Amino acid sequence: MPFAPCLSVRDTAASIAFYQRLGFDVDSSTSRPGDDIHMLLYEGQFVCMLYANADLKNWLPVLADTPIGFAGMFYLGVDDFDAVHDRIAAQADIVKDTLTDHTGQRMFYFRDPDGYVIGINDNAAFKASDLGAYA
């Protein structure tokens, strides 16, 4: 089973609008009052869930005192790296711009309105890199 992140956010409407401006789609068909959760998709594939922080605290009380955000990042592989970079750079805070690491991967990082850092990887470069065996 793939890892399925769930991001706790202050305002789901603001987060949805932000990610939609970046080219993501949102499926809110499972959201209901008292359970404000939405599926974030990119090119038809599941990326993560966006969950209203207040509702998440009710769902999992153990998280009630946990602040929004975390130390880490999420990665999303894309096919049209340069176009995605330009679209996101026009709408979001780029915290580390395009680089190629020691394995041959191309990536950049942006921050969303709740402080989560998302890394964007070039799928073609990933497949051609030393890590391509995991593609």
Side-chain angles (χ1 to χ4, degrees):
M1 168 188 276
F3 186 70
C6 182
L7 305 182
S8 173
V9 301
R10 289 184 237 346
D11 180 341
T12 55
S15 293
I16 287 168
F18 173 79
Y19 281 104
Q20 286 177 324
R21 285 193 308 272
L22 302 184
F24 290 79
D25 294 312
V26 176
D27 178 350
S28 298
S29 62
T30 62
S31 186
R32 61 184 183 194
D35 196 20
D36 189 5
I37 190 166
H38 309 269
M39 304 305 130
L40 189 66
L41 310 167
Y42 189 80
E43 295 185 350
Q45 294 190 15
F46 174 83
V47 173
C48 70
M49 296 169 275
L50 301 175
Y51 207 164
N53 183 259
D55 291 345
L56 176 63
K57 290 177 180 183
N58 289 330
W59 179 254
L60 285 175
V62 69
L63 298 175
D65 296 324
T66 304
I68 293 173
F70 69 98
M73 76 283 284
F74 296 104
Y75 286 97
L76 175 67
V78 299
D79 292 325
D80 193 356
F81 182 85
D82 294 318
V84 170
H85 174 276
D86 293 347
R87 184 171 59 244
I88 290 175
Q91 300 288 331
D93 177 25
I94 302 295
V95 297
K96 189 168 194 169
D97 215 339
T98 302
L99 63 107
T100 302
D101 75 4
H102 67 284
T103 67
Q105 293 184 74
R106 281 195 332 152
M107 65 194 77
F108 72 93
Y109 299 84
F110 70 93
R111 184 185 330 266
D112 85 349
D114 289 287
Y116 294 105
V117 174
I118 313 294
I120 302 293
N121 286 57
D122 181 341
N123 275 338
F126 177 71
K127 290 175 184 172
S129 77
D130 294 343
L131 299 175
Y134 299 106

